[in-house]
C-alpha cells in the first residue's frame, strides 16, 4: 500500500514502514499532513508487507512500485 501526500513543487521522498501486526501507531504521515507550511514536495508513505524475508519488497517492485510513483505530482 502506498499513500501519497502532495504539497506543491519540490522533492519526492519515500518513507517505508512495516505492515506488522504490532501495536505501534505510525504517525509520520499524519504529522507531515498537519505541518504543510513547513515543507514542499511529495511524500510517498510505502507500507511494505513481509519485510522479514524481503518477499514483500520484491512483490512491490515487481508490481511496478517505482514506475507507478515516479515523478507523480
Amino acid at each position: 500500500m502506498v499513500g501519497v501526500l502532495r504539497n506543491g513543487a519540490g522533492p519526492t521522498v519515500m518513507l517505508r514502514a512495516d505492515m506488522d501486526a504490532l501495536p505501534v501507531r505510525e504517525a509520520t504521515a499524519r504529522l507531515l499532513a498537519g505541518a504543510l507550511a513547513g515543507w514542499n514536495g511529495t511524500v510517498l508513505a510505502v507500507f511494505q508487507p513481509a519485510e522479514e524475508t524481503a518477499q514483500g519488497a520484491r512483490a512491490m517492485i515487481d508490481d511496478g512500485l517505482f514506475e507507478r510513483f515516479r515523478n507523480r505530482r
Side-chain angles (χ1 to χ4, degrees):
M1 177 171 61
V2 178
V4 180
L5 181 58
R6 293 182 182 92
N7 189 27
T12 298
V13 176
M14 182 179 286
L15 304 174
R16 188 194 69 79
D18 297 339
M19 291 181 65
D20 291 330
L22 299 175
V24 176
R25 279 186 74 170
E26 295 287 352
T28 304
R30 184 179 309 224
L31 291 172
L32 290 169
L36 296 176
W39 65 276
N40 291 312
T42 301
V43 173
L44 302 174
V46 178
F47 297 89
Q48 175 193 336
E51 83 284 349
E52 299 87 355
T53 63
Q55 290 177 347
R58 173 52 48 202
M60 293 181 82
I61 291 168
D62 290 346
D63 190 48
L65 171 68
F66 297 114
E67 290 78 18
R68 292 169 64 185
F69 293 95
R70 179 175 291 146
N71 298 322
R72 303 225 13 202
R73 297 180 199 262

